[in-house]
Amino acid sequence: MLAISRSLCQKNLQQSHFVICSVRTCHRTWTYKRSLIQDKTDHRKPQYLKLQKYGFRTTQNLHVPPLMAMLLRPILRFGALIMGRSMKKWWRRKSGTEKEEYKQWFRQKSNVFLGCFGLYSLILTLYYITHLKTDPLTQRSRFIIFNREQEKKLGKMVLEAHLELHKEDLVPHSHPAYRRLIRVIEQIRIANGDLKSMRDTQWTLTVISTPLTNSYILPGGNIFISLDILKIIENDDQLGIILAHEMAHSLLSHSLESLSDQLLWDFLIVIPILLIWALFPDMAAAIIHMIVERIVNVMYNLPFSRVLENEADEVGLKLAAKACIDIREAVVFWATMRILTEMHTLPPEFPWISTHPAHGDREKNLNLIMTKALELRKNSGCPLLPAIDPRDKFYKRSSKEHELYFKQRGIIEDKN
């Protein structure tokens, strides 16, 4: 089955049409033949996809253009700050008698102000509820205010910005890394052709040469991967795990969910920001504002980001399992990252102030869900895995053996 899958990937790779454009237009894309997808989906039923019936709606969702959402975020915060300071200055100019009159007027109109605040809260609540969507892959309800067409437009805009940002780091398309990466992406894409979101996404790939061991995906299926992370990846199975993780982010629309969530928080926090700058002196207001922002970031934004990363790990493991990848290598990869961090080869981790879970936590989590993922792989018609579990082989090495092994692979320098 593995040989058949690889031959299909190779055949599709040969049939793919490649376009190489300037940095400002596009980089490397490939198109696919629908017939190949159809052949695959006819013989493979969805293993973990459950169609979700959405509730009856009488009106269409009010989708917000992504560019407007990105512009609204700083406008809301800065606008609340300016309005708060203006109110404070206006109040200071009033005499004692005028202040007493305004206080009396406010007490008389307090119900009106409370009603306006309640209406504002009700509108936000209703908007939130009516824009909850259940993801078919995870069955999790999430708040998203954009549609797929808007995601494509956002993806194109962000892609052009990132290509311009990395124009000095772009790896030539003739580099062998491209062919290797595309082969693995094709393997995952074809094996998961039963997913509509997989078929509808126009995947693109950009390889960059930066000192960071990193890979990420932009809205719309635009994958970026650095050459440095390929040095740590031991084999194509581990590469498949990384790529499946990034593809899972796209299938789950995590970028849209994050932007939607951030904009909602901006609408929630706009009144507290206004009150802070209206009630406190500028210096005190700035300090309180900064503290509030840090608390919200540490207590909500960062944990939310880590939840999305864990979710992409789990869904990515399923995508890789259906592609007949040795998914046990996922644990080995994150265990490798953990040990390299402990050896100070990689930057130190501070999970509670990070957008990503600790390498060790990801290693443990993937180990916990491995049994079900291996069952999925088996049910997908994949060949038997090698009898020697790469996890056992990895865990049996001592610290000195790990260090020697990493030196042999050129991951860490041999100082002798």
Side-chain angles (χ1 to χ4, degrees):
M1 181 65 184
L2 183 58
I4 294 173
S5 177
R6 285 180 176 172
S7 65
L8 282 173
C9 291
Q10 192 65 26
K11 179 181 178 182
N12 192 303
L13 184 60
Q14 293 170 354
Q15 291 176 340
S16 299
H17 175 62
F18 295 89
V19 181
I20 302 176
C21 309
S22 67
V23 171
R24 290 188 177 275
T25 56
C26 61
H27 53 306
R28 187 167 191 159
T29 63
W30 55 93
T31 57
Y32 311 106
K33 293 207 170 186
R34 263 326 155 98
S35 59
L36 183 59
I37 299 173
Q38 188 62 45
D39 290 342
K40 193 69 178 176
T41 56
D42 287 343
H43 295 89
R44 178 170 293 184
K45 300 297 183 183
Q47 298 293 330
Y48 58 90
L49 173 63
K50 295 180 180 179
L51 297 179
Q52 176 71 18
K53 294 183 179 179
Y54 296 98
F56 176 75
R57 296 184 187 277
T58 57
T59 58
Q60 292 184 349
N61 283 0
L62 299 175
H63 295 297
V64 178
L67 182 59
M68 181 185 295
M70 288 189 289
L71 291 174
L72 266 177
R73 295 199 65 211
I75 289 174
L76 283 170
R77 290 169 180 260
F78 190 68
L81 185 155
I82 295 298
M83 185 174 291
R85 291 188 77 245
S86 299
M87 290 172 62
K88 179 170 56 184
K89 290 180 179 179
W90 171 83
W91 182 254
R92 285 174 178 172
R93 290 196 296 268
K94 300 300 176 183
S95 64
T97 304
E98 288 176 320
K99 287 180 180 179
E100 286 300 321
E101 290 176 353
Y102 276 112
K103 287 177 182 179
Q104 182 64 29
W105 175 82
F106 181 80
R107 292 189 193 101
Q108 294 173 353
K109 301 291 184 181
S110 59
N111 289 337
V112 175
F113 286 103
L114 288 174
C116 291
F117 179 76
L119 180 62
Y120 180 77
S121 302
L122 179 62
I123 291 172
L124 286 181
T125 302
L126 289 175
Y127 189 81
Y128 176 81
I129 293 172
T130 55
H131 288 77
L132 287 175
K133 299 179 181 179
T134 301
D135 185 83
L137 296 180
T138 63
Q139 300 303 307
R140 179 175 65 85
S141 293
R142 66 260 183 86
F143 173 70
I144 295 182
I145 61 176
F146 313 107
N147 57 34
R148 280 287 181 179
E149 287 303 314
Q150 290 173 333
E151 181 183 18
K152 291 177 182 178
K153 292 179 182 178
L154 176 64
K156 183 178 179 182
M157 179 179 66
V158 177
L159 173 61
E160 291 176 354
H162 277 251
L163 288 173
E164 182 66 25
L165 177 66
H166 293 291
K167 62 183 179 181
E168 302 298 330
D169 305 318
L170 295 177
V171 174
H173 300 98
S174 57
H175 195 285
Y178 268 104
R179 189 166 186 84
R180 180 189 178 193
L181 287 162
I182 292 172
R183 183 179 67 250
V184 178
I185 292 172
E186 284 285 76
Q187 183 179 345
I188 298 168
R189 188 196 64 81
I190 294 170
N192 291 275
D194 55 308
L195 302 178
K196 184 178 184 298
S197 53
M198 179 69 80
R199 299 194 303 269
D200 291 346
T201 302
Q202 180 65 57
W203 302 99
T204 70
L205 172 67
T206 302
V207 182
I208 54 178
S209 179
T210 64
L212 298 175
T213 54
N214 192 23
S215 66
Y216 61 92
I217 191 164
L218 302 176
N222 304 302
I223 303 170
F224 277 67
I225 191 163
S226 70
L227 284 179
D228 269 16
I229 199 171
L230 296 180
K231 297 176 183 177
I232 296 178
I233 293 171
E234 191 171 353
N235 48 53
D236 282 358
D237 292 308
Q238 291 185 12
L239 180 59
I241 294 297
I242 299 302
L243 291 171
H245 169 88
E246 300 302 343
M247 295 170 80
H249 273 305
S250 181
L251 298 183
L252 295 167
S253 298
H254 279 168
S255 57
L256 299 187
E257 183 179 0
S258 294
L259 183 55
S260 301
D261 190 76
Q262 290 164 3
L263 184 60
L264 179 64
W265 263 105
D266 288 334
F267 274 100
L268 289 173
I269 205 172
V270 66
I271 293 178
I273 290 176
L274 186 150
L275 292 175
I276 287 171
W277 284 93
L279 298 176
F280 295 94
D282 285 354
M283 183 61 70
I287 294 172
I288 295 171
H289 188 173
M290 183 182 67
I291 292 173
V292 170
E293 292 276 7
R294 295 296 183 271
I295 291 174
V296 170
N297 194 44
V298 172
M299 298 298 294
Y300 181 79
N301 293 335
L302 294 176
F304 179 71
S305 177
R306 293 194 289 270
V307 167
L308 297 187
E309 288 298 326
N310 283 326
E311 188 174 76
D313 277 348
E314 294 178 15
V315 173
L317 195 68
K318 294 176 180 179
L319 299 178
K322 291 176 66 179
C324 298
I325 288 169
D326 188 347
I327 54 177
R328 299 172 299 183
E329 291 285 358
V331 176
V332 176
F333 174 79
W334 289 112
T336 299
M337 296 289 282
R338 171 179 58 80
I339 290 180
L340 288 173
T341 303
E342 292 170 357
M343 291 180 174
H344 306 292
T345 300
L346 295 178
E349 292 185 293
F350 302 99
W352 64 282
I353 55 171
S354 173
T355 57
H356 288 61
H359 303 322
D361 291 339
R362 300 176 86 163
E363 172 192 354
K364 292 175 184 177
N365 185 53
L366 288 168
N367 256 326
L368 290 174
I369 62 175
M370 188 58 63
T371 301
K372 288 185 178 180
L374 288 171
E375 188 68 22
L376 172 62
R377 186 185 185 280
K378 179 181 177 182
N379 294 337
S380 299
C382 297
L384 294 175
L385 289 167
I388 300 176
D389 192 324
R391 293 174 295 178
D392 295 336
K393 187 177 178 182
F394 183 89
Y395 289 133
K396 286 178 181 177
R397 294 192 195 121
S398 65
S399 299
K400 287 292 183 182
E401 288 172 330
H402 277 302
E403 185 177 355
L404 178 61
Y405 180 67
F406 293 145
K407 286 179 180 178
Q408 290 173 346
R409 290 182 53 200
I411 297 175
I412 59 178
E413 295 181 2
D414 190 349
K415 298 179 181 180
N416 294 332

